[in-house]
Amino acid sequence: MSQRSKPSDLELQVLTVLWQRGPLPVAEIREAVPDGKARAYTTILSVLQVMEKKGLVDHTTKGQANIYHPLVKRQQVMRPLMREMLQNLFGGSPAKAVQSLLESSPVDDQEMAEIRELLAAAERKKKPAPPREP
């Protein structure tokens, strides 16, 4: 993803809504933006129009409403952002990033189990398979 198409914070919120809920009209996107700030319909519409120019979203017309949908997958956007954050804030250390996350917000038992499973899966992926006997 080029620097020009890198999403702003509000654009990331709009993309998150579209990834979670699927194609939506502007009014529903406006209501669902996760930061909870009251924004004008025209503000969200303007953001979506910029996102179209960046190649992040597109729309179809249904009656009089434009229905917006993402053109990029979550991983296409998140991977470069996470790499940049990891490098800039944690010196490239995933361990420091995880430590910071665990210290900065409460983690319930279910999330801790999910984190353990992700670590186990990463460990399995890292290890080469044992050699087969002929």
Side-chain angles (χ1 to χ4, degrees):
M1 173 165 304
S2 72
Q3 190 69 19
R4 183 171 111 63
S5 64
K6 181 178 174 182
S8 70
D9 289 343
L10 183 53
E11 290 170 349
L12 281 172
Q13 291 183 61
V14 168
L15 282 169
T16 298
V17 168
L18 294 173
W19 289 326
Q20 290 175 343
R21 299 189 182 190
L24 292 171
V26 178
E28 290 183 43
I29 295 169
R30 179 177 163 257
E31 292 170 10
V33 172
D35 69 4
K37 292 181 182 176
R39 290 189 173 87
Y41 177 94
T42 53
T43 300
I44 299 301
L45 178 60
S46 295
V47 166
L48 285 160
Q49 290 168 340
V50 169
M51 292 173 73
E52 274 191 295
K53 289 178 184 168
K54 289 182 173 183
L56 298 171
V57 299
D58 197 5
H59 74 274
T60 56
T61 303
K62 186 173 184 180
Q64 291 184 319
N66 286 339
I67 308 298
Y68 287 86
H69 59 275
L71 291 176
V72 291
K73 294 185 173 154
R74 184 185 302 260
Q75 287 302 322
Q76 285 176 273
V77 174
M78 298 315 276
R79 276 193 181 117
L81 292 175
M82 293 300 289
R83 272 194 295 265
E84 181 180 347
M85 183 184 70
L86 188 67
Q87 190 60 44
N88 292 342
L89 296 176
F90 303 103
S93 170
K96 288 179 183 176
V98 170
Q99 178 183 6
S100 177
L101 285 170
L102 292 173
E103 290 173 351
S104 66
S105 58
V107 181
D108 64 26
D109 290 341
Q110 181 181 348
E111 288 175 319
M112 191 62 78
E114 289 176 31
I115 291 168
R116 284 188 183 100
E117 179 52 40
L118 290 168
L119 290 171
E123 187 68 29
R124 288 189 301 269
K125 187 176 175 182
K126 187 181 106 177
K127 285 185 179 178
R132 293 185 178 173
E133 294 196 26

